[in-house]
Amino acid sequence: MKSAAGQANGRSQEVELFARKIIAWWLPILYFLISSLFYLRTYDSAQVKITVMQMGGLALLVFWVARLIEARGAPLSRSDLVCISPFLAYLAVGVLSFTHSPYAMASVDFFIRHFFFMTVALIVICEFNAAAADRLTRILVMTGWVAVVYGFWQIIDNTWFPPGVGKGIDPFIWRGAFGQRIFSTYGNPNFFADFLVILFPILFTQYLKTRKKRLLPLMTLLLIDLIMTGTKGAWVGFAMVIFLFGAIAFTYFKEQAAPYRKWILGVAAAGILGLVGFVAKDLSARIVSVNFRLFTWEATWELIMTQPWIGTGIGSFPPAYPAFRRPPIFHIEGKHNTETDHSENEYLEQILDNGLLGFGIFIWMMLSTMVVGFRSLGQLTTTLSLKDGRPPPRAYDLTGYLVALMGMLGHNCFDVSLRFVSSGVYLGLLCGMIVFLARGSGLYEMNDRREVKTAPVPGEASLVQTFSEFLVWPARLAAWGGLAWAAFFLFRDFADLQGPVERIVYQGDVLQWWLAWAVLSACVLAMTFLFVKLVYLSEKPAVALAVLAALYPLRIFWGYFKADVHHNVGIFFSKQRQWDQALHHYQIVQENNPNFVMSLYFMGNVFFDRFNMDKQYNPAWGDRDNQPRDDYERALDVFNEVRRLAPNYVQMHHQVGTLHMRRAEWAMGHGHPEEVPKYLERALNRFKLYEAIDPVYAPNYFRMGQIFMVQKRFAEAARVFEAAITAEKCEIDAVLLRNTFLRSTLLAYQGYVQESGRELSVHRHESAEAYTNLANAYFLMDNLQGAERAYRKALSLDSHYEQAKRNLSALYQKAQSLGLLRVAPAPFSLGVGSPVSSGYEIVPSKK
């Protein structure tokens, strides 16, 4: 009979093999799901990718932890640690960066992504074998078929069918969301383009390896899709891919490339020149994308210099950047209520997050991965390694993953696709596959640690072993109960989120309803079964406890998904001005994701728009501790929470200033004039804060001036209105303005006017409202001539602007009563936008 120790070792080996088999299957399936899924009932169609990464990645991690628990010796040796040290170091960088981030709660999402990316790399290096690697590549090809064919489907739909939901062959409501640019299952042309840059080298090398002709139409469609994404950074990245293939062919595959030398050079040159031509042509029509990046990079570098060595913390760009954003960005976007989430350059953002020290470790990880890969490629392509004149299949696999990684890194000089789940997940996967293919085996294969220990003498079981045997069944039962509950609440919650199919109007939504249920059911049931079996097979209670412990973060990740759906529904009811329904859904958002800044901001806007000043207690409106409140207090509390999470979020300061103004108006209208100065001063402080962030937003100046007018501080009001028009913070250096080429390209994001007495044109924020406000301030200061000039200027910009007409008439009446009005000389030719002649003019006062 087998000894008890032998039986235990045999059971552990069975659990190890089971866990490793699941890892080898689940990881590629997980990548297929992340790349292929979208869910349009959420506010962000990519939220489902984030959720699948979080929940599916958690499941992957638990299987790996179970494998390590069951290991019958040290799971890793010192030589293994040398191999994976760059990945462990970069993982540690993320942990340290997260711990010192000033916006720790806002950084959670980015830290989870960082952790997942590095965990995947470590799992591939440690646990994969040749069969698992081949399976992963096959599933990536399948993923490519789904994304590329749907992208081409969108091209046909955009080209041959009229715009509008339900009017083409694309059944989904996001049809035409980016105009003629396609985005496939990625929800964004940039992310889709990055995936295509990654995928093509893998497809091409698989074709060279297998000669499967079905890959040729897939690569052809991929190239068409890439062009139709309209993504210049990806075109540059793809040009780099072509160059790299040419360089690798003549460096490592010399004998195979020699007969096709001219053909390879011709295709490479044509491809590179063609893509560069596309980039140049697109830049001539969309130069603003270059402007946007240059100004964003400049501001990002200034932000970096506040903490250059250790960085500001992972994921800190969105909350920290608004204080550094350049005024031209508002002109380029033409909006003020948007948020720049990333720096449009991965390497700048790496330095920003992790500092120069962390960035150095990132570069070490990338360089070490490529050095290991190219050294191995050199060995695989030597004469001794050739078989029938061809390198081994592994050489083609390694080449594909190496070029894919370098193409992605090149693209991310102009983009930040690595920051997003849909394309960023490939960072860890590509690095892990390169190291695995370079070594030829997983670490578990290269280290035989299955040491069979001497069977213990009967009756000598240790206290730990005895306690473990006693605990195993309670732990199993607890884990199975937790799994049953998790499956139940997932199905229950998803049924609530989906709603009945009978209520759905569009056929595309009906299709997605069924697909969503099918995918969720398959994943939940399969994972539940596999975890139940894993817990049953393992004799170690730690495995069951690991499964049980994972249910808490699983619930949190699922809550993030629910929050995104309810946020979307809350926006719908906000637009319908159904305040109670909107608040109900925003409250659900906060219960599931209290760090959802946008939802908090929108909740504050609901209280702002409703502005019910009757004090009452209603927990559904966020009231607590039986304290009755009015909507001013509720809005202020919510906006203060927004400020805590993101100090300069979008237009939060301006909105709070307007809230204080409304409170002052309410006090004046309800018999509390003594309260007015306090709220006006609070409003003024917030408007000044917003001016420092966004000096382009005219209403902010108008409201500051309005407060000064109410306070009878007319000179200060005039200075504010003048500042709104002169736009000093948008001023361009004279040396740059003299350059005609720069004015027509990089500086063309804003307009310029020629003013008398100035050699160069200047930029002004002119409008009829701005000049009328300035004229009103002059009028009340008894600067009648200044008021007249400003009113006439307003009417030159909008001859039908009634307030300027009316106030100019009143001004002339006052001037006539003072004997200061005379008939103007005959009008002469004035340039467009110059003050119009009214037939009268005010003469200077004799005072």
Side-chain angles (χ1 to χ4, degrees):
M1 293 180 63
K2 291 184 178 180
S3 66
Q7 291 178 347
N9 283 330
R11 194 64 175 263
S12 290
Q13 184 176 4
E14 183 181 2
V15 177
E16 275 195 85
L17 292 174
F18 176 74
R20 190 176 292 117
K21 182 178 180 180
I22 299 305
I23 290 171
W25 272 99
W26 177 237
L27 192 148
I29 292 173
L30 180 59
Y31 271 73
F32 175 83
L33 294 174
I34 291 172
S35 296
S36 304
L37 294 182
F38 55 89
Y39 189 70
L40 301 178
R41 289 180 63 85
T42 48
Y43 174 76
D44 179 3
S45 60
Q47 178 63 38
V48 67
K49 299 179 185 294
I50 299 171
T51 302
V52 169
M53 180 211 71
Q54 291 172 341
M55 298 176 69
L58 178 64
L60 184 70
L61 179 63
V62 172
F63 282 117
W64 193 35
V65 168
R67 210 288 293 174
L68 296 177
I69 291 173
E70 293 290 347
R72 278 134 301 161
L76 295 171
S77 67
R78 289 185 179 180
S79 60
D80 296 337
L81 292 176
V82 171
C83 173
I84 62 176
S85 58
F87 301 96
L88 292 174
Y90 188 59
L91 178 60
V93 165
V95 174
L96 294 174
S97 181
F98 177 72
T99 58
H100 77 77
S101 173
Y103 313 106
M105 300 305 292
S107 300
V108 168
D109 183 35
F110 293 99
F111 172 71
I112 293 171
R113 300 179 195 191
H114 177 95
F115 186 86
F116 175 79
F117 298 167
M118 290 302 97
T119 299
V120 165
L122 293 170
I123 288 175
V124 170
I125 294 170
C126 294
E127 306 299 334
F128 264 36
N129 54 27
D134 288 342
R135 182 184 303 113
L136 171 67
T137 302
R138 290 196 304 271
I139 292 179
L140 287 181
V141 173
M142 291 171 53
T143 305
W145 275 108
V146 173
V148 170
V149 169
Y150 180 46
F152 190 73
W153 192 261
Q154 289 181 328
I155 296 174
I156 298 173
D157 185 59
N158 291 339
T159 305
W160 299 103
F161 294 88
V165 179
K167 295 182 179 180
I169 58 174
D170 186 349
F172 301 112
I173 61 174
W174 66 358
R175 178 176 183 260
F178 288 84
Q180 293 297 309
R181 299 177 69 192
I182 63 169
F183 46 87
S184 188
T185 59
Y186 280 73
N188 184 290
N190 294 331
F191 306 155
F192 181 42
D194 192 54
F195 171 72
L196 298 179
V197 171
I198 294 168
L199 181 66
F200 181 82
I202 297 172
L203 295 178
F204 184 63
T205 50
Q206 288 305 300
Y207 172 73
L208 296 177
K209 170 185 170 183
T210 64
R211 301 295 183 181
K212 292 180 179 178
K213 293 185 178 180
R214 63 174 176 270
L215 294 175
L216 293 175
L218 179 58
M219 287 188 285
T220 302
L221 294 179
L222 184 152
L223 293 175
I224 297 172
D225 285 358
L226 181 66
I227 296 300
M228 294 307 295
T229 61
T231 304
K232 294 182 289 296
W235 297 343
V236 173
F238 196 82
M240 183 180 293
V241 165
I242 296 173
F243 171 79
L244 289 169
F245 268 128
I248 289 173
F250 293 124
T251 304
Y252 295 96
F253 297 84
K254 297 177 183 178
E255 295 184 13
Q256 294 76 32
Y260 308 100
R261 181 180 180 85
K262 292 183 179 179
W263 186 84
I264 293 172
L265 289 173
V267 170
I272 294 171
L273 292 175
L275 288 166
V276 170
F278 268 112
V279 171
K281 181 181 178 181
D282 194 75
L283 284 178
S284 65
R286 292 199 297 155
I287 192 67
V288 292
S289 64
V290 177
N291 296 339
F292 183 86
R293 281 165 173 76
L294 290 175
F295 286 117
T296 302
W297 294 344
E298 179 187 19
T300 303
W301 185 254
E302 185 178 330
L303 176 55
I304 286 171
M305 296 312 293
T306 62
Q307 283 278 23
W309 292 107
I310 63 172
T312 58
I314 191 168
S316 61
F317 183 91
Y321 172 75
F324 296 82
R325 180 167 41 190
R326 295 291 185 267
I329 296 297
F330 298 104
H331 285 292
I332 292 168
E333 292 188 316
K335 298 176 181 177
H336 301 267
N337 61 344
T338 57
E339 184 179 24
T340 303
D341 290 326
H342 295 288
S343 66
E344 303 301 330
N345 181 295
E346 175 61 29
Y347 308 100
L348 282 177
E349 200 148 344
Q350 284 285 340
I351 300 173
L352 172 66
D353 282 359
N354 307 318
L356 290 170
L357 298 176
F359 178 68
I361 293 176
F362 173 76
I363 295 300
W364 172 41
M365 181 179 71
M366 292 294 100
L367 290 178
S368 65
T369 298
M370 287 186 278
V371 167
V372 167
F374 279 113
R375 282 182 177 175
S376 177
L377 185 61
Q379 296 170 357
L380 291 171
T381 53
T382 59
T383 305
L384 295 176
S385 300
L386 300 182
K387 184 178 182 181
D388 299 327
R390 284 170 58 85
R394 187 156 58 95
Y396 294 97
D397 293 335
L398 181 57
T399 301
Y401 284 99
L402 273 168
V403 175
L405 176 64
M406 290 187 288
M408 181 178 68
L409 294 175
H411 178 201
N412 277 268
C413 291
F414 314 100
D415 208 334
V416 283
S417 298
L418 289 176
R419 295 277 150 175
F420 295 86
V421 167
S422 56
S423 47
V425 289
Y426 287 94
L427 175 67
L429 184 71
L430 295 177
C431 290
M433 283 295 290
I434 289 169
V435 174
F436 166 78
L437 291 168
R439 295 171 66 92
S441 301
L443 294 183
Y444 86 92
E445 292 180 306
M446 302 178 71
N447 297 281
D448 185 8
R449 303 187 190 92
R450 297 177 175 83
E451 301 175 359
V452 179
K453 297 182 179 180
T454 304
V457 178
E460 291 186 358
S462 68
L463 181 62
V464 173
Q465 290 174 322
T466 303
F467 182 72
S468 177
E469 292 173 0
F470 171 78
L471 192 61
V472 64
W473 270 106
R476 283 173 176 168
L477 293 174
W480 290 339
L483 289 168
W485 169 243
F488 168 75
F489 77 68
L490 286 172
F491 282 119
R492 180 200 62 191
D493 290 352
F494 197 63
D496 292 338
L497 297 177
Q498 286 277 78
V501 70
E502 295 82 10
R503 295 182 183 176
I504 299 177
V505 177
Y506 296 110
Q507 291 302 309
D509 288 349
V510 174
L511 173 62
Q512 193 181 68
W513 191 93
W514 285 106
L515 289 173
W517 266 118
V519 172
L520 180 88
S521 300
C523 290
V524 172
L525 293 176
M527 285 293 103
T528 301
F529 170 76
L530 292 173
F531 277 124
V532 166
K533 185 174 180 179
L534 176 72
V535 170
Y536 175 74
L537 290 176
S538 177
E539 296 289 344
K540 296 184 178 180
V543 172
L545 294 176
V547 172
L548 190 63
L551 297 180
Y552 178 71
L554 183 78
R555 185 66 182 268
I556 293 175
F557 298 152
W558 180 245
Y560 294 164
F561 179 78
K562 288 170 56 181
D564 210 71
V565 176
H566 283 283
H567 176 65
N568 197 29
V569 179
I571 292 173
F572 170 81
F573 284 116
S574 292
K575 291 179 178 178
Q576 302 294 319
R577 302 184 71 82
Q578 298 183 37
W579 307 128
D580 285 348
Q581 288 284 357
L583 289 170
H584 168 70
H585 288 282
Y586 289 141
Q587 288 290 349
I588 295 176
V589 173
Q590 293 309 306
E591 291 169 4
N592 287 278
N593 186 0
N595 303 312
F596 200 150
V597 179
M598 184 186 296
S599 187
L600 274 169
Y601 182 70
F602 285 8
M603 185 190 297
N605 287 340
V606 167
F607 294 129
F608 176 89
D609 292 334
R610 186 177 68 175
F611 210 70
N612 182 350
M613 294 300 291
D614 294 331
K615 287 188 178 292
Q616 52 185 303
Y617 173 72
N618 190 334
W621 296 345
D623 299 336
R624 297 290 181 269
D625 302 324
N626 291 313
Q627 292 294 321
R629 299 188 300 171
D630 54 47
D631 278 352
Y632 167 78
E633 295 169 322
R634 296 186 185 98
L636 193 58
D637 284 349
V638 172
F639 286 134
N640 284 337
E641 181 64 13
V642 170
R643 190 179 188 182
R644 184 184 70 83
L645 295 172
N648 298 304
Y649 183 77
V650 194
Q651 289 187 295
M652 181 262 300
H653 290 306
H654 179 80
Q655 194 74 335
V656 174
T658 309
L659 176 69
H660 289 314
M661 283 189 72
R662 292 193 68 177
R663 180 62 176 82
E665 292 169 0
W666 182 88
M668 180 63 71
H670 288 76
H672 301 286
E674 72 283 357
E675 295 181 350
V676 172
K678 174 179 68 175
Y679 292 111
L680 288 181
E681 201 59 37
R682 290 180 180 178
L684 190 59
N685 290 335
R686 283 306 187 102
F687 290 141
K688 288 178 179 178
L689 281 175
Y690 188 68
E691 180 191 1
I693 298 169
D694 178 3
V696 179
Y697 192 52
N700 195 67
Y701 291 99
F702 298 162
R703 290 193 168 100
M704 282 195 289
Q706 182 182 348
I707 291 174
F708 286 132
M709 298 280 273
V710 170
Q711 295 175 334
K712 301 187 184 304
R713 297 156 66 182
F714 303 125
E716 292 176 78
R719 282 196 292 272
V720 168
F721 294 135
E722 288 168 354
I725 295 169
T726 56
E728 289 183 1
K729 292 189 178 180
C730 296
E731 186 177 347
I732 304 297
D733 187 273
V735 175
L736 299 177
L737 274 180
R738 286 192 177 94
N739 189 309
T740 304
F741 173 76
L742 289 179
R743 281 193 54 180
S744 62
T745 54
L746 296 179
L747 303 180
Y749 58 85
Q750 62 185 14
Y752 302 93
V753 296
Q754 185 70 51
E755 291 184 344
S756 60
R758 286 180 176 267
E759 175 188 355
L760 294 174
S761 298
V762 293
H763 172 67
R764 294 288 181 253
H765 295 166
E766 295 183 314
S767 69
E769 183 178 6
Y771 278 107
T772 301
N773 286 333
L774 177 60
N776 292 340
Y778 285 154
F779 193 171
L780 295 171
M781 292 168 60
D782 289 329
N783 182 354
L784 303 188
Q785 283 188 303
E788 182 194 25
R789 286 194 300 270
Y791 284 133
R792 290 171 58 195
K793 183 64 176 179
L795 291 171
S796 74
L797 296 171
D798 183 357
S799 60
H800 301 290
Y801 196 67
E802 287 299 324
Q803 187 182 2
K805 283 180 171 182
R806 187 171 57 251
N807 290 2
L808 180 59
S809 177
L811 174 68
Y812 283 152
Q813 289 178 11
K814 180 175 182 179
Q816 186 175 28
S817 68
L818 296 173
L820 300 176
L821 188 67
R822 69 183 178 190
V823 176
F828 52 90
S829 176
L830 299 170
V832 177
S834 297
V836 299
S837 174
S838 60
Y840 298 94
E841 66 179 7
I842 297 176
V843 299
S845 173
K846 295 180 181 180
K847 292 183 180 180

